Amino acid sequence: MTHSTPLAAAQDLIKSANSILFITGAGLSADSGLPTYRGVGGLYEGQRTDEGYAIETALSASMFKHRPEITWKYLWQIGSACYQARFNQGHAIIADIEKNKPNTWVLTQNIDGFHHQAGSKNLIEIHGRGERLYCVACDFESTAEQLLANYQQTISLPPHCPQCGGLIRPDVVLFEEMLPEKALSQLYQLLDTMPFDVVVVVGTSAQFPHIQQPVVLAKQLAIPIIEINPSETELSVLASYHLRGGAAEMLNASWANE
Ligand SMILES: [Zn+2]
């Protein structure tokens, strides 16, 4: 079958697929008004923190161990940028596609929890979710919302556990840290079988090997790859079709065509 445009080809592939793997990054959440950050650090990409650290250092496991107040200062700023933002039409369309095609999966590098909010169930949040907080010393768990509610105006960072006084941290992957075991094993299971008819890469330039790997594998297995991104990326060369535009707009155009 020949198609007049990449969009028409993408519409056809998405419509006829039984199972789709969506790989999503900051570009998808940019449509919710979030800055396109690299991992948890890109709000400050290329800049130094007030203390003169690279953001990767401020948001690293070793900084959190020795000077948690510094790590928390920047976690807090990133959290504030995400606060009150919510999922957008792009997340909603991906969740809707999963409802129609139950073997659809999402692999995301975003920590904003928007796929979860939008209703995606087959979801691998490979860098964790910032909204979930836990104590490093005991079994206490909380949410960012509860933390904000309890702290009101005066916030003393780092926050401490109300049960044991231990440090509270968000359930995200800091620099130098391993990826979460459960998410990794889910990812490897998918990579083992690669049961997808189409892979759609949305709003990520895939600087992370664990984001790149499934795309490379899809290419090797001749699974069609659709890239949704306003700019050229390292992955563009692997993609069968490029939709050059915003994530929500292009997902909408690819799906709402009936
Ligand atoms: Zn505790």
Short mmCIF file of all heavy atoms in Angstrom, two decimals, residues 135 137-138 140 161 163-166, ligand 1:
data_model
loop_
_atom_site.label_atom_id
_atom_site.label_comp_id
_atom_site.label_asym_id
_atom_site.label_seq_id
_atom_site.Cartn_x
_atom_site.Cartn_y
_atom_site.Cartn_z
N CYS A 135 10.39 7.00 52.96
CA CYS A 135 11.47 7.19 53.92
C CYS A 135 12.59 6.19 53.61
O CYS A 135 12.31 5.02 53.35
CB CYS A 135 10.94 6.97 55.33
SG CYS A 135 12.25 6.88 56.59
N ALA A 137 14.67 5.06 55.66
CA ALA A 137 15.03 4.26 56.83
C ALA A 137 13.92 3.32 57.32
O ALA A 137 14.20 2.33 57.98
CB ALA A 137 15.44 5.17 57.98
N CYS A 138 12.66 3.63 57.02
CA CYS A 138 11.59 2.75 57.47
C CYS A 138 10.57 2.57 56.36
O CYS A 138 10.82 2.92 55.22
CB CYS A 138 10.95 3.27 58.75
SG CYS A 138 9.82 4.67 58.52
N PHE A 140 7.71 4.06 55.89
CA PHE A 140 6.81 5.20 55.70
C PHE A 140 6.74 5.61 54.22
O PHE A 140 7.76 5.74 53.56
CB PHE A 140 7.28 6.39 56.54
CG PHE A 140 6.42 7.62 56.36
CD1 PHE A 140 5.18 7.72 56.98
CD2 PHE A 140 6.86 8.67 55.57
CE1 PHE A 140 4.38 8.85 56.80
CE2 PHE A 140 6.07 9.81 55.39
CZ PHE A 140 4.84 9.89 56.01
N CYS A 161 11.16 12.01 58.07
CA CYS A 161 10.07 11.06 58.28
C CYS A 161 9.38 11.32 59.61
O CYS A 161 10.03 11.42 60.64
CB CYS A 161 10.65 9.65 58.26
SG CYS A 161 9.47 8.37 58.70
N GLN A 163 7.67 9.25 61.22
CA GLN A 163 7.73 8.04 62.04
C GLN A 163 9.07 7.85 62.72
O GLN A 163 9.15 7.51 63.89
CB GLN A 163 7.45 6.80 61.17
CG GLN A 163 5.97 6.52 60.96
CD GLN A 163 5.75 5.27 60.11
OE1 GLN A 163 6.60 4.38 60.08
NE2 GLN A 163 4.63 5.22 59.43
N CYS A 164 10.17 8.07 61.96
CA CYS A 164 11.47 7.69 62.50
C CYS A 164 12.53 8.78 62.37
O CYS A 164 13.65 8.62 62.82
CB CYS A 164 11.97 6.40 61.84
SG CYS A 164 12.64 6.66 60.19
N GLY A 165 12.17 9.90 61.73
CA GLY A 165 13.15 10.98 61.57
C GLY A 165 14.11 10.77 60.42
O GLY A 165 14.99 11.60 60.17
N GLY A 166 13.97 9.67 59.69
CA GLY A 166 14.84 9.40 58.54
C GLY A 166 14.57 10.37 57.40
O GLY A 166 13.64 11.18 57.44
ZN ZN B 1 11.01 6.62 58.55
#
